[in-house]
Amino acid sequence: METQHAAQAARILDTAVQRGAEYADVQFWSIRQEQMNVRNAQVQNVTDAASLGYAVRALVDGSWGFYGSDRFDAASLDRAASEAVATARSGAKVADRIPAVKPTEKITASFETPMTIDPASVSLSDRASELLAAEKAAHVGKSVVSAFAFYSIWTTGKEFYSTNGSSIAQRIVQAGAGCGATAVGKDGDAQTRGGPGDFGLFQGGGYEVIRRAKLLENAPEYGREAIILADAPATPSGTTDLILDGSVLNLQMHESIGHPLELDRALGWEANYSGISWATPDRVGSLRYGSDLLNIYADNALPLGFATVGYDDEGVAPQRVTLIENGVLRAFLSSRDTAAQTSLPQTASVRAADWASVPMVRMTNIVLAPHEGTLESIIADTKDGLYVAGIRSWSIDDHRLNFQFGPQIGYEIKHGKRGRLLKQPTYTGITPRFWGSLDRVAGPSEFVVWGTPNCGKGEPSQAGRTTHACTVARFRGVKVGVKTNA
């Protein structure tokens, strides 16, 4: 891949060393985000935004400094390097600071997201036509009062250079799409059904991801389900066996496994925005996180992964790392510095939202390993239960322990068969008890790489793109109920 900023990088790194940096790196970003939203037969929003800038990190006496800029004249390059060094030197004066790790690797490499349809090959009018057709298809009855369809595409170019001589060029392409409908029932109750997944289908790749979402095929079914939901009975409260569709299970993984296993959070280094963690590094190898069927690993080279890269924003190559094995905690999502503090493996999980944001440990690609069976076989194996799909609402405390999720739709299960369709299902739990009740995980035929485009962390907040790949799973004895308007 072509490296456009090598000369500018050399100037920045030379200046950083002259100002006293023991180590420095710089990453140049070119960011393009394309979005389109359609609602009620109208294109309501079209966005095509671009940004170009660079981020400098400098290490002085075991302390990091950072500076981001979008100015490329010689004076600005020098200033960025100088400010990063000055910030690092200030941090080195903090008495109880934890010394950072000096990178030693020299890496020369490149990476491009595999894709089969370059988004540039699909015209804006063709994209609009596909969304409009899907939105129209969701209007399957008079009680459907609103419908929508959307897509998003991110194309990110990165060039990473370091004083160790590293040179890494990457082109990362990510995309997603979704659709849905809202219907009003006889009593005036409005219900929305949409997907696929919790927010749509988001994966690494080109325009083929948008086609893979099958909007035109899914939209009529979402419309029909919205109509039924609007007049459906509410989900009864009680304790029952709960089957989570992957469209719910992936967000459950995100909130109660992905976030608490970010190592900076577990160490207490990061508590802003979404709290700390009930899981701590001193319990690796002993903490029972869930049942024997809970096998979670991180893989930031996962095919179709929404967070798949060749190297993270520290220049670390991905590897597959087991996080939870047969229900027992084994590792965390980490950076160089957090891994060094715990002697746990690096997971190439350092990300920044853009050139103006400080890189931090982020949830990236996490996977619940498939086991055996299908959704239908799990339903057939359930005497009395509830199957839920889609996401309506969710909440979890700042230790990632107590949670409540509100799926879009529920199906009563009686004697191994689907029964009534139920609206406003909710379920609650405590993280280790909930995952401890896991007793069925479907096999590879149900496996989907689900992505989330808007994971928040940090202050100022950064939005991250993450993956939680999974199948379908059953949990025993879960408290379920209904959110009412009372």
Side-chain angles (χ1 to χ4, degrees):
M1 295 175 64
E2 183 180 356
T3 52
Q4 302 177 1
H5 300 284
Q8 294 166 325
R11 180 169 187 134
I12 289 171
L13 298 177
D14 287 346
T15 301
V17 171
Q18 291 170 13
R19 297 293 190 272
E22 304 161 23
Y23 165 89
D25 58 45
V26 58
Q27 184 158 255
F28 293 83
W29 295 67
S30 62
I31 305 169
R32 183 182 183 188
Q33 181 174 357
E34 303 170 77
Q35 292 182 312
M36 183 181 294
N37 294 280
V38 165
R39 183 175 292 274
N40 294 341
Q42 293 185 340
V43 176
Q44 294 194 336
N45 179 53
V46 180
T47 301
D48 190 345
S51 177
L52 179 64
Y54 54 95
V56 183
R57 298 194 312 160
L59 188 64
V60 176
D61 193 20
S63 175
W64 284 112
F66 173 86
Y67 194 84
S69 177
D70 60 354
R71 297 185 178 184
F72 289 83
D73 59 278
S76 294
L77 299 176
D78 292 343
R79 181 188 177 193
S82 299
E83 291 288 347
V85 172
T87 302
R89 185 170 286 115
S90 295
K93 298 176 182 178
V94 177
D96 60 349
R97 65 185 171 82
I98 299 172
V101 175
K102 179 181 178 180
T104 58
E105 306 92 336
K106 177 183 177 179
I107 301 168
T108 303
S110 62
F111 171 83
E112 289 192 61
T113 302
M115 62 179 177
T116 57
I117 304 177
D118 189 332
S121 69
V122 183
S123 69
L124 197 62
S125 61
D126 286 345
R127 299 178 188 184
S129 294
E130 292 180 25
L131 295 187
L132 288 165
E135 190 277 332
K136 181 179 180 180
H139 288 268
V140 293
K142 292 182 179 180
S143 60
V144 174
V145 296
S146 180
F148 65 90
F150 70 88
Y151 75 77
S152 298
I153 302 168
W154 297 265
T155 303
T156 307
K158 296 184 179 183
E159 292 181 35
F160 177 94
Y161 302 90
S162 78
T163 51
N164 293 338
S166 291
S167 175
I168 304 170
Q170 303 189 77
R171 183 173 184 260
I172 300 164
V173 184
Q174 302 152 308
C179 62
T182 299
V184 175
K186 297 174 183 177
D187 62 356
D189 183 36
Q191 292 290 314
T192 299
R193 178 76 173 109
D198 45 5
F199 304 106
L201 180 67
F202 293 90
Q203 296 176 336
Y207 202 82
E208 71 276 7
V209 177
I210 295 167
R211 298 265 169 84
R212 197 178 293 134
K214 298 180 179 179
L215 302 185
L216 187 60
E217 179 179 327
N218 286 326
E221 183 62 21
Y222 294 147
R224 283 189 287 270
E225 288 178 334
I227 290 172
I228 298 172
L229 278 173
D231 290 316
T235 303
S237 298
T239 300
T240 190
D241 293 341
L242 180 68
I243 300 172
L244 298 188
D245 185 78
S247 58
V248 181
L249 181 60
N250 88 90
L251 189 62
Q252 179 73 57
M253 290 167 58
H254 178 101
E255 299 294 349
S256 64
I257 293 179
H259 274 309
L261 294 191
E262 293 168 332
L263 188 48
D264 59 343
R265 189 187 304 279
L267 288 169
W269 296 7
E270 161 63 31
N272 291 324
Y273 196 85
S274 50
I276 54 177
S277 175
W278 72 281
T280 51
D282 60 302
R283 302 181 72 186
V284 166
S286 63
L287 176 62
R288 171 60 68 172
Y289 212 104
S291 77
D292 289 345
L293 286 177
L294 185 61
N295 290 286
I296 300 283
Y297 61 89
D299 183 0
N300 294 332
L302 180 73
L304 304 181
F306 204 37
T308 292
V309 295
Y311 293 83
D312 76 353
D313 289 344
E314 288 191 309
V316 177
Q319 58 180 323
R320 177 168 164 169
V321 176
T322 297
L323 302 177
I324 301 172
E325 182 180 31
N326 298 329
V328 177
L329 179 65
R330 296 296 182 191
F332 285 78
L333 300 164
S334 65
S335 62
R336 276 196 187 93
D337 292 344
T338 55
Q341 288 298 314
T342 56
S343 299
L344 291 171
Q346 297 180 28
T347 60
S349 296
V350 173
R351 299 288 193 278
D354 50 40
W355 54 265
S357 300
V358 176
M360 66 173 72
V361 178
R362 295 304 304 253
M363 188 190 331
T364 44
N365 293 335
I366 60 172
V367 182
L368 171 60
H371 190 57
E372 62 182 6
T374 63
L375 168 61
E376 294 308 320
S377 71
I378 294 176
I379 289 176
D381 183 46
T382 304
K383 182 178 180 181
D384 183 43
L386 179 68
Y387 164 59
V388 294
I391 283 292
R392 178 171 45 86
S393 65
W394 72 97
S395 64
I396 190 165
D397 70 19
D398 61 5
H399 283 69
R400 301 280 146 179
L401 267 173
N402 299 279
F403 60 79
Q404 175 178 291
F405 281 73
Q408 294 176 4
I409 191 169
Y411 290 90
E412 189 177 53
I413 300 172
K414 293 291 184 182
H415 304 292
K417 295 182 179 180
R418 296 194 200 197
R420 297 180 299 168
L421 188 151
L422 303 171
K423 68 181 174 184
Q424 294 179 307
T426 62
Y427 68 92
T428 63
I430 300 173
T431 293
R433 294 181 190 174
F434 180 77
W435 289 107
S437 72
L438 174 67
D439 83 324
R440 286 290 304 270
V441 178
S445 65
E446 302 281 0
F447 187 77
V448 178
V449 178
W450 297 108
T452 293
N454 55 356
C455 172
K457 186 179 178 181
E459 189 177 338
S461 177
Q462 296 187 37
R465 295 188 278 279
T466 66
T467 283
H468 339 91
C470 61
T471 59
V472 178
R474 184 177 68 188
F475 300 82
R476 294 288 197 182
V478 179
K479 291 183 178 180
V480 303
V482 58
K483 178 181 177 182
T484 68
N485 295 321

